[in-house]
Amino acid sequence: MGSHLRSKFTREEEVKYISHLDLMLVFERALRRARIPIAYSGGFNPHPQMVFGLPLSVGVTSESEYADFEFHAEVDPENFKSRLNANLPQGLKILEVRERKAKGNIMASIAIASYDIFVYLGCSYDIIQERLKELLSKTTIVVQKKGKKGVKDLDIRPMIHKLHVLKLSKNEIDEKLNSKFIDLDRIHLNEDNGIYCIRAVLSAGSNANLKPELLMEAIKEGLNFDINTLKIHRTELLVGKGGKVYNPLDPVVLLGE
Amino acid sequence: MKMTLKISDNILRNVEKPSRYTGNEWNSVTKSLDKINIRFAFGFPDVYEIGMSHLGSKILYHLLNQREDTWCERVFAPWVDMEEQMRKNQIPLFALESKDPIKSFDFFGFTLQYEMSYTNIINMLDLAGVPLKSSMRTEDDLFVCAGGPCAYNPEPLAEIMDFFLMGEGEEILNEVLDVFKAWKNEGAAREDFLDRISKIEGVYVPGAYQVQYESDGTIKSVLPNKSHYPERIKKRIIKNLEDVFFPDKIIVPYTDIVHDRIMLELFRGCTRGCRFCQAGFIYRPVRERTPEKLLDLARKLQENTGYEEISLTSLSTSDYEGLGDLTENLIKEMEPLKVNLSLPSLRIDSFSLDLMEKAQKVRKSGLTFAPEAGTQRLRDVINKGVTEEDLINSVSIAFNGGWTGVKLYFMMGLPTESFDDIEGIADLGNKVVDAYMRVPKEKRGKGLSVTISTSSFVPKPFTPFQWEAQDTMETLREKQRHLKGMIKNKKITYNWHESQLSLLEAVFSRGDRRLGNLLIKAWEKGCKFDSWGEHFKFDLWMEAFGECGLDPHFYANRKRDFNEVLPWDHIDVGVSKKFLQRECEKAYRGELTSNCRVDCSGCGAASFGSTICTG
Ligand code: SF4
């Protein structure tokens, strides 16, 4: 039982085109359908007290999203999970729920995000592997980032913690890229090209944040081959605490032990 | 054969709002193909956000899906960016739920909410690969049909549609589908199906009617080709609104739509009889739901959707007798769930202001009023039972209650309108400002803003003004300029509608079936989304008129004789032509007609046997 819960959830293909703002509304309505006693802010325009981890870009899927909820009554985590799941649309699913005692909401503490970026390349595995190594051996990687105040230069090298490329078997392709939105039929595979998975561990959150889309632009720069991003999938989010990183559901984070 | 299309990321990443095309919303319906016999594509000829906001479509979608043998899916007009992608990638128009091509369906049914969506219908048929004209469709094609308020003058689409459904759809749709099922099992000919459904009251099969013209271009007669088709087609209504199907769940979209809330329909029809208002005549007689029923529906809808807002919708919600009780009970139940109540188009008195304050915790900015005309004389002509005193009282109450924004809606070009009436609009605006100034400084809110908006009057079928000429664009512009010159107060803003669109609305609302070719011609030239300012191409429309040998002024700016055969005379909405003529004559004498609740004026709709008419 608790009046503050943290939950981990997935966001799959079916709901990947919803904006972050709209996703919050999806949760608000699901909570209301489930009659879960979510707390509301006071004031003129009351808002449900929920905080989401790191917003996903439109079109990106994830198996590792987090949200904090605050209630005006004690709520049992398992009961919360089953009731909310019964009211969430296809593609959103709560995986795990834990009580949160320590202060510090999920949004403020995010530090690291991992992604699987599935790409279709006009070059062989060896070449892409080579190029990624080259990229990582640089001390600075400056890219242009479009922000609200126009374009500015940004060194993304310090925000890349791991970066490597994986080959995929036929089965893995079928399984991971089996989406109603991905048209694999249009892709012709042969020896010298193919579908690979670029696995990236990147800085995330309010201090330093590297979006996978921006990383892909940097990689594109260094390649003189076609590179098509088929799918971006978030596999992990980690929070920072006292210079270390933890799983957001770790007792150290949740209970402040 | 798997027909499902891949609406792939490659396409969706290149459009502005992909969630318009992905479906899968809460409460949307999917069915297994081997368990159904009838596939119905419900078309709304505008974008997702608009179509999804329409209550009637929601009702019929869930009604059809209640049938075990039928799967009804939604189809909206793809926005121009999506259309470009679809044409480039050879993707035909598809249904939102299954992503299957529309061509493989049994029905493609459109709801006609406004005339300026007609080119979108043509475009959607083309995208679907369905022949544009009914006469070109063969045994392999689905049936294209339409209903909704604009279907009461079906003629501009007579060559496009295979059949129309007149009036409220809840019963008639089911009857048509029952016939279809039997017909399909027998494997009978296409024409045979149309023959069979023509026997259902309210079904109009335009291809079976012959139109004869006089030498001056007016209509001589509209008669069925075959003896067993009815000479007049009578609209259908639901007599008992209390027991008719109303969905207890509706689709909850992912993306912001225009009306993103639960809509509770209190009643159908309107008793006021404003003479310009088509809705006031075509939906007669008034039929209501009880407050108990409404409360029950609200409860279920809320539970099944999780929506944060409920609105009460009807033509003039203030007329609902149980409004006070209903809102009180709704607020009591919904408040703890953090669900708001919104009350549109209320007549403003202290009672309703109180109600609004309780319901919405609204920001005290905008209140809207629709006096429609600037002088009492003209308001009497249109039978708008509002006096200047009413308006000034209402705004004074509002200003005293802290409201600071007032929007005033007027129509320009009403029958008998003179420049005095135009000046009356400016006068009313000034008097509203004066009313604000009379409220003690410490009581009134800061920053008064009065907005005056004028739209151009469009004469509509089945109204007392169906014979009237619309003002020419030149006259309308002159009136707009005049009014603009008259409004000097800085607190008053003046907005007006472009008269070009109003001209086309006037053409199509009272058009005949010769307009079918015009529609196709205009679409070929690139006209679509005409009601979206940035896509409206007036010049192309005028070219199309020229090439089709048609004159827009014949339809829009010509005053008809009472004896003229009107293109919609073979449609029977219950209100008699004699009554409409009587109302028109009274209008010219400035005589008022009372509200149905006070006194029946014998419009003819009593033939439907509703309690309001028969006492
Ligand atoms: S018959 Fe009388 S009461 Fe009924 S709708 Fe007509 S005017 Fe009103």
Side-chain angles (χ1 to χ4, degrees), chain A residues 14-18 22 25-26 28-29 32-33 35 40 44-46 86-90 179-183 186 229-231, chain B residues 6-10 12-13 18-19 22 24 26 89 252-255 260 302-308 337-339 361-363:
Chain A
E14 293 92 334
V15 286
K16 72 177 176 183
Y17 281 110
I18 308 174
D22 289 340
L25 202 53
V26 169
E28 183 182 343
R29 288 169 179 170
R32 203 181 276 112
R33 288 193 290 268
R35 296 289 187 256
Y40 276 82
F44 193 76
N45 220 334
N87 282 285
L88 282 172
Q90 260 177 54
S179 151
K180 56 177 152 191
F181 297 118
I182 299 175
D183 201 350
R186 288 158 36 108
T229 305
L230 294 172
K231 174 182 168 117
Chain B
K6 275 267 192 235
I7 313 305
S8 70
D9 288 328
N10 294 336
L12 292 170
R13 279 187 200 136
S19 48
T22 49
N24 191 43
W26 188 256
N89 295 286
V252 187
Y254 288 125
T255 165
D260 202 7
Q302 207 292 315
E303 265 178 43
N304 291 329
T305 61
Y307 259 126
E308 56 286 332
L337 300 166
K338 296 283 186 269
V339 176
K361 303 180 188 143
V362 277
R363 284 189 185 82

Side-chain angles (χ1 to χ4, degrees), chain B residues 261-273:
Chain B
R261 57 184 76 94
I262 292 167
M263 289 183 258
L264 267 192
E265 186 192 32
L266 307 191
F267 58 90
R268 287 186 190 166
C270 174
T271 55
R272 315 212 130 230

Side-chain angles (χ1 to χ4, degrees), chain B residues 412-539:
Chain B
M412 221 173 231
L414 286 162
T416 77
E417 183 183 63
S418 69
F419 278 82
D420 288 345
D421 300 304
I422 300 295
E423 285 161 23
I425 297 177
D427 278 350
L428 261 191
N430 289 333
K431 284 175 182 156
V432 168
V433 176
D434 292 346
Y436 172 83
M437 292 304 177
R438 278 197 299 276
V439 178
K441 261 213 169 89
E442 58 284 3
K443 274 189 89 179
R444 70 193 189 207
K446 275 198 196 71
L448 170 73
S449 97
V450 176
T451 310
I452 290 178
S453 301
T454 62
S455 61
S456 309
F457 170 62
V458 178
K460 295 274 184 174
F462 299 109
T463 66
F465 295 152
Q466 63 179 354
W467 296 277
E468 295 299 319
Q470 185 184 47
D471 270 355
T472 60
M473 291 199 294
E474 293 72 40
T475 309
L476 285 168
R477 284 195 188 125
E478 204 184 321
K479 287 178 175 175
Q480 287 162 353
R481 264 198 306 274
H482 189 67
L483 179 54
K484 195 162 166 40
M486 294 288 300
I487 295 174
K488 303 233 161 61
N489 197 310
K490 289 218 167 56
K491 302 235 180 287
I492 306 179
T493 331
Y494 174 41
N495 302 321
W496 63 93
H497 283 261
E498 249 323 306
S499 46
Q500 293 180 335
L501 194 66
S502 311
L503 172 72
L504 278 179
E505 280 170 352
V507 168
F508 279 98
S509 72
R510 290 185 299 169
D512 54 43
R513 49 175 74 183
R514 287 172 294 195
L515 296 184
N517 285 333
L518 170 75
L519 209 53
I520 295 176
K521 179 68 84 193
W523 165 77
E524 282 169 355
K525 289 178 176 295
C527 293
K528 60 190 168 197
F529 286 112
D530 297 297
S531 55
W532 294 75
E534 74 263 40
H535 289 291
F536 179 52
K537 302 179 181 100
F538 186 69
D539 295 345

Side-chain angles (χ1 to χ4, degrees), chain B residues 545-599:
Chain B
F545 272 106
E547 286 168 36
C548 293
L550 292 168
D551 176 11
H553 308 296
F554 172 82
Y555 295 99
N557 311 114
R558 180 174 63 87
K559 190 168 169 112
R560 279 82 161 156
D561 193 272
F562 284 134
N563 297 322
E564 182 173 328
V565 177
L566 302 171
W568 53 92
D569 273 352
H570 56 299
I571 306 299
D572 177 6
V573 297
V575 173
S576 72
K577 202 173 177 182
K578 279 218 180 66
F579 167 76
L580 294 175
Q581 182 178 339
R582 234 165 37 230
E583 277 295 294
C584 182
E585 288 159 351
K586 278 171 87 177
Y588 275 90
R589 295 196 299 268
E591 281 173 30
L592 294 176
T593 294
S594 59
N595 187 320
C596 299
R597 282 175 211 274
V598 178
D599 192 10

Side-chain angles (χ1 to χ4, degrees), chain B residues 248-405:
Chain B
D248 58 10
K249 47 176 75 152
I250 50 169
I251 297 175
V252 187
Y254 288 125
T255 165
D256 208 8
I257 60 173
V258 181
H259 299 295
D260 202 7
R261 57 184 76 94
I262 292 167
M263 289 183 258
L264 267 192
E265 186 192 32
L266 307 191
F267 58 90
R268 287 186 190 166
C270 174
T271 55
R272 315 212 130 230
C274 300
R275 293 182 178 123
F276 58 86
C277 173
Q278 193 188 32
F281 295 94
I282 57 178
Y283 294 123
R284 286 183 181 216
V286 155
R287 290 139 297 141
E288 297 184 336
R289 290 193 170 90
T290 63
E292 296 74 42
K293 178 82 188 181
L294 290 163
L295 200 61
D296 182 51
L297 280 173
R299 227 175 259 146
K300 287 188 185 136
L301 279 162
Q302 207 292 315
E303 265 178 43
N304 291 329
T305 61
Y307 259 126
E308 56 286 332
E309 191 173 336
I310 298 179
S311 74
L312 307 181
T313 47
S314 283
L315 284 170
S316 99
T317 307
S318 312
D319 288 345
Y320 186 69
E321 259 177 70
L323 190 63
D325 281 348
L326 176 66
T327 42
E328 202 137 304
N329 285 326
L330 276 173
I331 293 167
K332 207 159 62 199
E333 283 199 27
M334 296 302 159
E335 182 111 82
L337 300 166
K338 296 283 186 269
V339 176
N340 289 327
L341 191 64
S342 75
L343 305 167
S345 67
L346 283 191
R347 239 170 314 122
I348 305 297
D349 48 32
S350 47
F351 165 73
S352 63
L353 271 193
D354 198 41
L355 216 62
M356 282 163 74
E357 241 171 292
K358 267 196 233 148
Q360 275 173 310
K361 303 180 188 143
V362 277
R363 284 189 185 82
K364 294 192 170 179
S365 46
L367 283 178
T368 53
F369 299 87
E372 306 291 1
T375 59
Q376 196 56 46
R377 185 199 69 77
L378 191 52
R379 283 193 294 273
D380 289 347
V381 168
I382 61 176
N383 202 40
K384 182 90 194 176
V386 173
T387 63
E388 185 178 310
E389 203 187 327
D390 292 337
L391 176 71
I392 299 303
N393 280 343
S394 302
V395 295
S396 302
I397 294 169
F399 291 146
N400 270 297
W403 263 269
T404 55

Side-chain angles (χ1 to χ4, degrees), chain B residues 284-285 596 600-606 612-613:
Chain B
R284 286 183 181 216
C596 299
C600 169
S601 47
C603 76
I612 185 154
C613 311

